[in-house]
Amino acid sequence: MIERLCPDGVEYKKLGEVLDYEQPSKYIVSSKDYLGEGIPVLTAGQTFILGYTDEDTGIYRASKEKPVIIFDDFTTSFHWVTFDFKVKSSAMKMLRPINNDINFRFIYYAMKCIKYETADHARQWISKYSLFEIPVPPIEVQSKIVEILDNFTELEAELEAELEAELEARRKQYEYYRNQLLTFDKVGGGCPRTLT
């Protein structure tokens, strides 16, 4: 496809040329006393969902048809979000494509290839991160790449679920055998019935 659709090579663009950002100020949760259900409160860091709130205003509306990337402005960690949410703090940006001539999911995957570690505690999007260049092949190529990577992502999620189920089964098996091996009837020496 590359040879056919862009024989002269792939164009590169800065992230700031393809993505626009929004400050999260109007989406910040009022109370940090999180609930067990409700509207998710997000951070762009590793934790991602901090908890839930029952606040019904200032909600960022995202969906599968209208996704958003939340970007931690200090650590450059980011997440793909397809559901309504509120945020913990102003230390992030909401990223959306500037126009529809690009596959937004492709940009997300391209960002995952950027190897950059922050050296200082400063706002990263405007000063550095938005200046990184990514390849921008024709939309047909972008869509094909996204299709392949989404399939791998789905497969990875299925494998993780299977491995987690297998691990849980092994834990139960271990506990069963541990209890069986460490349970003795009062024979001869009279060991206690259960040692666990």
Side-chain angles (χ1 to χ4, degrees):
M1 286 180 82
I2 294 286
E3 289 175 12
R4 182 169 48 86
L5 296 171
C6 41
D8 298 327
V10 175
E11 179 183 11
Y12 278 72
K13 289 187 178 180
K14 293 177 182 173
L15 284 172
E17 294 176 322
V18 294
L19 295 178
D20 199 5
Y21 71 89
E22 181 180 1
Q23 298 286 13
S25 307
K26 59 186 174 184
Y27 308 111
I28 296 174
V29 68
S30 300
S31 172
K32 303 290 194 280
D33 294 329
Y34 302 131
L35 307 173
E37 59 183 33
I39 298 292
V41 180
L42 306 183
T43 177
Q46 195 170 10
T47 308
F48 188 44
I49 297 178
L50 297 170
Y52 300 85
T53 182
D54 58 1
E55 295 175 20
D56 57 2
T57 59
I59 297 168
Y60 190 98
R61 302 291 176 188
S63 65
K64 287 186 178 182
E65 296 75 31
K66 201 173 173 191
V68 66
I69 295 172
I70 59 170
F71 179 89
D72 187 306
D73 220 2
F74 293 113
T75 68
T76 71
S77 176
F78 57 91
H79 295 278
W80 181 261
V81 184
T82 58
F83 51 84
D84 296 345
F85 63 92
K86 290 187 70 77
V87 299
K88 174 192 169 195
S89 73
S90 63
M92 69 169 65
K93 301 266 190 285
M94 271 72 122
L95 306 177
R96 296 271 309 129
I98 290 175
N99 53 51
N100 292 328
D101 65 350
I102 199 156
N103 187 314
F104 187 31
R105 185 80 168 162
F106 173 83
I107 300 303
Y108 168 77
Y109 283 127
M111 287 173 63
K112 289 205 163 268
C113 294
I114 295 172
K115 304 293 182 223
Y116 172 70
E117 291 187 25
T118 58
D120 52 356
H121 190 70
R123 302 262 178 187
Q124 300 292 321
W125 179 256
I126 294 172
S127 64
K128 294 183 182 158
Y129 209 89
S130 65
L131 304 177
F132 285 120
E133 291 187 336
I134 60 165
V136 183
I139 193 76
E140 298 89 347
V141 175
Q142 294 175 38
S143 298
K144 188 63 178 172
I145 290 170
V146 166
E147 179 187 336
I148 292 166
L149 293 177
D150 277 351
N151 285 338
F152 274 114
T153 301
E154 191 177 312
L155 180 61
E156 181 181 39
E158 289 172 12
L159 287 173
E160 282 179 7
E162 287 176 19
L163 288 173
E164 188 58 42
E166 177 70 19
L167 186 58
E168 184 58 30
R170 293 287 176 227
R171 275 192 204 110
K172 288 180 180 176
Q173 186 179 36
Y174 165 78
E175 289 173 11
Y176 172 80
Y177 283 112
R178 180 196 64 201
N179 291 341
Q180 290 298 312
L181 291 169
L182 296 176
T183 302
F184 301 93
D185 291 323
K186 289 189 176 182
V187 178
C191 292
R193 176 94 179 123
T194 302
L195 298 176
T196 56

